[in-house]
Amino acid sequence: MRLDRAAGVLLHPTSLPSRYGIGDFGPAAHRYMHWLADAGVRWWQILPLHVPGPEFSPYSARSTFAGNRYLISPDLLLAEGLLEPADLAELPNFSPARVDYEKAIPFKRAILRRAWRRFRRRPDDRLTVELSSFRRRSPWLADYGLYAALRQAHLGAPWYEWPVELALRRPGAIEAWREHNLEEVELQEFCQLLFARQWRALADYAHQLGIQILGDLPLFMAYDSAEVWAHRELFQLDERGRPPVVAGVPPDYFSAQGQLWGNPLYDWKALERSRYAWWIDRLRHLLESVDRIRLDHFRGFMAYWEVPAGSSSATAGRWRPGPGHRLFDVLRAELGGLPLVAEDLGDITPDVIALREWLDLPGMAILQFAFAPQPRSQFIPYLHEPHQVVYTGTHDNNTTVGWYRNEASEEERHFLRRYLATDGHQIHWDLIRAALASVARLAVIPHQDIAGVGSEGRMNTPGVSAGNWRFRLTEAMLAEADQKRLAELIELYGRAPKAPNPKEEA
């Protein structure tokens, strides 16, 4: 599934403006789709929409199927009659500049509970039918609703710290707990319906404007997640549900010490015996919500870094073989193709490249890694390939301005200025121009680079657990001048949407 020549922008929905401390799927998201469309942008890249895990990371998901309920828009609930104006009359003093998780999460929980109670008091026939249909179409929902309600009842404790009969899902105990806490379970299911409805409406609106959505799928699951709790047989866990080994990556250009992620590892032999049914369900579910998927940590499908549980760093790990082409053979047959992008960054070996090429997947090129004078980087623009996605930087990089000022060596800065024939005073536009001029069919720009913000706009610092995922757009970052400049470059380098051909329409 080849890409057409186009431009994209990377921005996670949590970063959108809103009155409620965190971005959501409401009016500001719809206005942002217009901003992108008017600039000629045809792809909106997002991070995983899953329920975030520790330190709010979307790459450590509480569920691969459930959506982040904190992205539900109160304004849209108000418009539907599920909230009343009084519910939103007095708001916490949210931070206007950063995602304010500490205040936004309890606020969203409270208003979602109000919406649920109002629905129960005055059932809406249409919504009742939708909820019933949603439950039938979502086989994962029963496990997730129960997991989320149990976790809340245990004050946020992970499942492996619950009473053993609940942690290990002993049938009598599970059924009794569900029966006595049915309202809490159904609240979680209702929130998932609201999430799915609002996201579908936003995605449909984007499509009407000619924008496709590039989603993101982490390779691994969080240990404290509904899927690990409900499907322990698919992961390397002992009889008590404890992982003897965990996931990480060895040292690379993101981290000199490697990264100790701590996720449980898959039992690939068990998954293969089921013909990868869980993976088929996982990708099929996501492809109902997005148009193409970026597979995070693609090299982990060829070989993954296994670290003994309890290790203090990832350096104690070793490579172990992944499923390779066997998994993708099944996925391609079941899904009717592979609408994927391979995140092929890090320690990439020839067999990983061979797998990506055999699957005919576009890989990634990062311009912030392109300008080491010697040896020349594989990401330097003259080595780009058409079947590729080029970025100025990703969510794991500093912003381009922050990188140039604070991280690039003097040799890199000097080489970059020579290569791009620039003095560097608008380095973000220099790299945006280089990305859009590339032969790579898709060029994706983080919105922070369009706005020219510094290190304060960084989304994530790999290997650092606290302070990430908090970037927010301000009105100043949606300047018409930046939009116009981006549109001119998109048109100049042949990435603008094609105008309708009257002859073809006739």
Side-chain angles (χ1 to χ4, degrees):
M1 294 187 177
R2 294 258 160 164
L3 292 161
D4 293 329
R5 187 167 177 81
V9 169
L10 169 59
L11 185 83
H12 196 47
T14 56
S15 298
L16 290 164
S18 83
R19 298 192 298 139
Y20 307 109
I22 186 172
D24 59 40
F25 298 149
H30 289 72
R31 289 194 297 272
Y32 187 64
M33 293 304 98
H34 260 293
W35 195 96
L36 295 179
D38 289 347
V41 171
R42 288 195 283 159
W43 283 90
W44 177 29
Q45 181 173 340
I46 59 175
L47 307 183
L49 295 174
H50 308 145
V51 183
E55 299 296 338
F56 317 113
S57 171
Y59 290 91
S60 185
R62 302 283 182 210
S63 169
T64 193
F65 296 100
N68 181 357
R69 59 179 170 164
Y70 307 125
L71 292 172
I72 296 171
S73 165
D75 293 320
L76 297 183
L77 298 181
L78 179 65
E80 282 197 89
L82 289 169
L83 293 177
E84 295 179 353
D87 295 324
L88 305 178
E90 295 185 12
L91 301 178
N93 185 26
F94 294 118
S95 168
R98 305 282 281 169
V99 178
D100 196 345
Y101 292 106
E102 290 75 13
K103 294 177 183 175
I105 287 176
F107 169 75
K108 287 286 184 84
R109 283 177 176 168
I111 63 165
L112 289 170
R113 187 173 293 276
R114 288 180 197 173
W116 166 239
R117 288 175 175 169
R118 187 161 286 118
F119 168 69
R120 284 171 60 86
R121 288 198 304 271
R122 300 197 300 267
D124 177 297
D125 289 343
R126 178 178 54 84
L127 199 53
T128 299
V129 170
E130 277 193 60
L131 181 57
S132 178
S133 174
F134 184 64
R135 285 173 173 144
R136 289 195 304 272
R137 291 182 289 105
S138 308
W140 54 269
L141 186 60
D143 282 332
Y144 175 74
L146 185 55
Y147 162 83
L150 273 161
R151 197 173 185 280
Q152 188 162 300
H154 289 87
L155 305 179
W159 66 263
Y160 44 85
E161 293 180 5
W162 301 344
V164 66
E165 65 274 10
L166 298 175
L168 300 184
R169 294 174 58 89
R170 291 175 181 161
I174 287 290
E175 290 161 7
W177 196 94
R178 178 183 173 85
E179 182 180 346
H180 286 94
N181 297 275
L182 186 59
E183 182 175 347
E184 292 302 313
V185 175
E186 291 183 340
L187 165 61
Q188 299 296 333
E189 296 175 349
F190 180 70
C191 289
Q192 288 304 307
L193 172 64
L194 297 180
F195 172 93
R197 294 169 84 242
Q198 290 194 6
W199 172 249
R200 185 70 267 157
L202 179 59
D204 287 347
Y205 189 66
H207 290 156
Q208 291 170 24
L209 295 172
I211 296 169
Q212 297 185 82
I213 298 168
L214 178 56
D216 202 323
L217 189 74
L219 173 57
F220 296 115
M221 294 299 307
Y223 182 24
D224 181 23
S225 64
E227 279 71 37
V228 176
W229 175 65
H231 300 285
R232 296 193 310 278
E233 72 281 1
L234 303 181
F235 299 86
Q236 295 186 46
L237 304 174
D238 64 21
E239 66 279 359
R240 298 178 302 157
R242 307 283 174 164
V245 288
V246 296
V249 289
D252 61 13
Y253 41 57
F254 282 116
S255 175
Q257 296 298 315
Q259 299 174 53
L260 182 58
W261 293 335
N263 309 73
L265 295 167
Y266 295 107
D267 184 337
W268 285 113
K269 291 182 179 179
L271 284 158
E272 186 174 18
R273 287 194 294 271
S274 70
R275 284 196 52 78
Y276 304 106
W278 183 83
W279 270 93
I280 294 167
D281 291 345
R282 192 183 187 199
L283 267 73
R284 183 174 283 144
H285 174 76
L286 183 52
L287 286 169
E288 292 173 356
S289 301
V290 302
D291 300 289
R292 188 178 280 260
I293 298 171
R294 189 194 82 123
L295 279 183
D296 190 50
H297 196 53
F298 177 75
R299 76 101 58 244
F301 292 102
M302 201 67 211
Y304 57 88
W305 191 248
E306 176 188 279
V307 185
S311 298
S312 59
S313 79
T315 57
R318 61 173 179 165
W319 290 112
R320 300 287 291 166
H325 66 87
R326 297 187 303 278
L327 169 63
F328 291 98
D329 286 343
V330 175
L331 290 175
R332 180 154 42 195
E334 291 292 332
L335 301 175
L338 295 174
L340 308 172
V341 171
E343 186 271 287
D344 54 347
L345 307 175
D347 182 13
I348 302 303
T349 52
D351 58 344
V352 178
I353 297 170
L355 177 63
R356 177 180 57 75
E357 291 178 346
W358 180 75
L359 296 170
D360 198 27
L361 301 183
M364 293 171 54
I366 312 298
L367 290 183
Q368 286 185 26
F369 299 147
F371 295 102
Q374 293 297 335
R376 292 289 172 90
S377 167
Q378 62 179 319
F379 300 133
I380 198 163
Y382 67 72
L383 291 179
H384 291 178
E385 301 174 359
H387 196 42
Q388 198 169 38
V389 184
V390 60
Y391 295 77
T392 54
T394 74
H395 64 276
D396 279 334
N397 292 95
N398 205 335
T399 67
T400 289
V401 171
W403 164 77
Y404 184 75
R405 290 175 179 171
N406 305 317
E407 295 179 10
S409 67
E410 183 52 44
E411 290 78 11
E412 285 177 298
R413 289 194 290 267
H414 179 66
F415 182 58
L416 183 155
R417 290 192 296 266
R418 288 178 58 219
Y419 192 96
L420 299 180
T422 179
D423 62 7
H425 81 283
Q426 285 196 319
I427 195 63
H428 53 300
W429 283 111
D430 293 326
L431 257 66
I432 290 171
R433 180 183 289 270
L436 294 173
S438 168
V439 297
R441 291 196 184 96
L442 179 58
V444 177
I445 316 299
H447 197 109
Q448 295 95 311
D449 286 352
I450 298 168
V453 299
S455 296
E456 70 278 6
R458 183 168 190 160
M459 191 64 164
N460 180 51
T461 303
V464 175
S465 60
N468 297 315
W469 318 111
R470 291 180 180 265
F471 171 72
R472 291 287 298 283
L473 281 185
T474 64
E475 289 304 318
M477 297 177 195
L478 294 166
E480 185 178 350
D482 288 339
Q483 182 191 53
K484 182 178 179 181
R485 187 170 183 177
L486 180 62
E488 289 172 348
L489 291 174
I490 286 173
E491 191 281 329
L492 177 64
Y493 293 114
R495 297 183 183 274
K498 294 180 180 178
N501 186 333
K503 294 181 179 180
E504 290 179 0
E505 290 184 352

